Amino acid sequence: MTFRPLHDRVVIRRAEGDLTSKGGIIIPDTAKEKPQEGEVIAVGSGLRDESGKLIPLDVKAGDFILFGKWSGTEVRIDGEDLLIMTEADIMGIVERTGTAADKAA
Protein backbone atom coordinates (compact mmCIF):
# COMPACT_ATOMS: atom_id res chain seq x y z
CA MET A 1 0.00 0.00 0.00
CA THR A 2 1.19 3.52 -0.75
CA PHE A 3 0.29 6.27 1.70
CA ARG A 4 0.60 9.98 0.93
CA PRO A 5 -0.20 12.47 3.71
CA LEU A 6 -2.30 15.51 2.88
CA HIS A 7 -1.61 19.21 3.42
CA ASP A 8 0.84 19.83 6.32
CA ARG A 9 0.85 16.28 7.70
CA VAL A 10 4.02 14.24 8.07
CA VAL A 11 4.53 10.45 8.45
CA ILE A 12 7.28 9.51 10.92
CA ARG A 13 9.04 6.28 11.86
CA ARG A 14 9.94 6.46 15.55
CA ALA A 15 13.62 5.92 16.38
CA GLU A 16 14.49 2.74 18.24
CA GLY A 17 14.84 3.29 22.00
CA ASP A 18 17.74 1.95 24.05
CA LEU A 19 17.23 -1.61 25.26
CA THR A 20 19.52 -1.18 28.26
CA SER A 21 19.93 1.60 30.80
CA LYS A 22 23.21 3.44 31.34
CA GLY A 23 23.89 1.09 34.27
CA GLY A 24 23.49 -1.98 32.06
CA ILE A 25 20.00 -2.99 33.21
CA ILE A 26 17.87 -4.48 30.42
CA ILE A 27 14.59 -2.59 30.08
CA PRO A 28 11.53 -4.62 28.96
CA ASP A 29 9.32 -3.25 26.16
CA THR A 30 6.46 -2.56 28.56
CA ALA A 31 8.60 -0.27 30.74
CA LYS A 32 10.42 1.54 27.95
CA GLU A 33 9.60 5.16 27.28
CA LYS A 34 8.91 5.82 23.62
CA PRO A 35 11.57 7.99 21.96
CA GLN A 36 10.63 11.51 20.94
CA GLU A 37 12.69 11.43 17.80
CA GLY A 38 12.27 9.79 14.45
CA GLU A 39 12.79 9.80 10.71
CA VAL A 40 10.42 11.50 8.29
CA ILE A 41 9.03 8.93 5.87
CA ALA A 42 6.60 11.05 3.82
CA VAL A 43 5.33 14.65 3.77
CA GLY A 44 2.25 16.34 2.42
CA SER A 45 2.32 19.02 -0.25
CA GLY A 46 1.94 21.92 2.23
CA LEU A 47 -0.64 24.51 3.22
CA ARG A 48 -2.15 27.31 1.17
CA ASP A 49 -2.13 30.93 2.29
CA GLU A 50 -5.07 33.35 1.90
CA SER A 51 -4.19 34.06 -1.71
CA GLY A 52 -4.13 30.34 -2.56
CA LYS A 53 -0.33 30.13 -2.92
CA LEU A 54 1.12 26.77 -1.80
CA ILE A 55 3.57 27.02 1.10
CA PRO A 56 5.80 23.90 1.12
CA LEU A 57 6.85 22.19 4.34
CA ASP A 58 10.28 22.75 5.92
CA VAL A 59 10.84 19.02 6.52
CA LYS A 60 11.43 16.42 3.83
CA ALA A 61 11.60 12.64 3.67
CA GLY A 62 14.79 11.38 5.29
CA ASP A 63 15.07 14.19 7.88
CA PHE A 64 15.70 13.13 11.48
CA ILE A 65 13.42 15.18 13.76
CA LEU A 66 12.41 15.81 17.38
CA PHE A 67 8.73 16.01 18.33
CA GLY A 68 6.57 16.45 21.43
CA LYS A 69 5.94 13.56 23.80
CA TRP A 70 2.21 13.31 23.05
CA SER A 71 2.35 14.49 19.42
CA GLY A 72 0.76 12.71 16.52
CA THR A 73 -1.52 9.77 15.95
CA GLU A 74 -0.17 6.23 15.96
CA VAL A 75 -1.14 4.20 12.89
CA ARG A 76 -0.18 0.85 11.40
CA ILE A 77 0.64 0.90 7.69
CA ASP A 78 1.85 -2.27 5.96
CA GLY A 79 2.48 -3.88 9.36
CA GLU A 80 4.73 -1.04 10.56
CA ASP A 81 3.88 1.28 13.48
CA LEU A 82 4.18 4.89 12.32
CA LEU A 83 3.11 8.35 13.52
CA ILE A 84 1.16 10.95 11.57
CA MET A 85 1.39 14.53 12.82
CA THR A 86 1.22 18.07 11.54
CA GLU A 87 4.41 19.99 10.85
CA ALA A 88 3.54 22.29 13.78
CA ASP A 89 4.05 19.34 16.19
CA ILE A 90 7.68 19.00 15.07
CA MET A 91 10.14 20.84 17.30
CA GLY A 92 13.14 20.74 14.99
CA ILE A 93 15.35 18.90 12.54
CA VAL A 94 18.43 17.16 13.96
CA GLU A 95 21.48 17.86 11.83
CA ARG A 96 23.87 14.93 12.05
CA THR A 97 27.50 15.92 12.47
CA GLY A 98 30.41 13.78 11.31
CA THR A 99 30.75 11.91 14.61
CA ALA A 100 27.01 11.33 15.03
CA ALA A 101 26.71 10.12 11.43
CA ASP A 102 29.60 7.68 11.99
CA LYS A 103 27.89 6.21 15.07
CA ALA A 104 24.61 5.71 13.18
CA ALA A 105 26.31 3.90 10.27
Side-chain angles (χ1 to χ4, degrees):
M1 167 177 34
T2 302
F3 181 80
R4 182 177 55 92
L6 299 176
H7 309 294
D8 68 334
R9 290 190 174 73
V10 180
V11 179
I12 295 161
R13 178 183 298 123
R14 227 183 252 274
E16 295 294 323
D18 291 334
L19 299 176
T20 58
S21 69
K22 291 180 183 178
I25 299 171
I26 297 174
I27 303 169
D29 288 340
T30 55
K32 273 196 309 191
E33 188 169 321
K34 293 182 180 178
Q36 294 172 265
E37 51 193 29
E39 180 185 1
V40 176
I41 303 301
V43 298
S45 58
L47 289 176
R48 297 199 180 269
D49 62 10
E50 289 109 23
S51 65
K53 181 182 173 190
L54 185 66
I55 302 170
L57 301 180
D58 290 329
V59 297
K60 62 186 180 308
D63 283 345
F64 198 74
I65 54 132
L66 295 177
F67 51 87
K69 190 170 198 165
W70 305 108
S71 299
T73 302
E74 294 180 354
V75 296
R76 183 174 279 267
I77 300 174
D78 288 339
E80 184 176 13
D81 291 325
L82 301 170
L83 285 171
I84 298 177
M85 65 181 66
T86 62
E87 186 183 39
D89 290 335
I90 297 172
M91 290 189 251
I93 299 171
V94 178
E95 298 291 332
R96 295 190 180 212
T97 60
T99 57
D102 293 338
K103 289 180 184 177

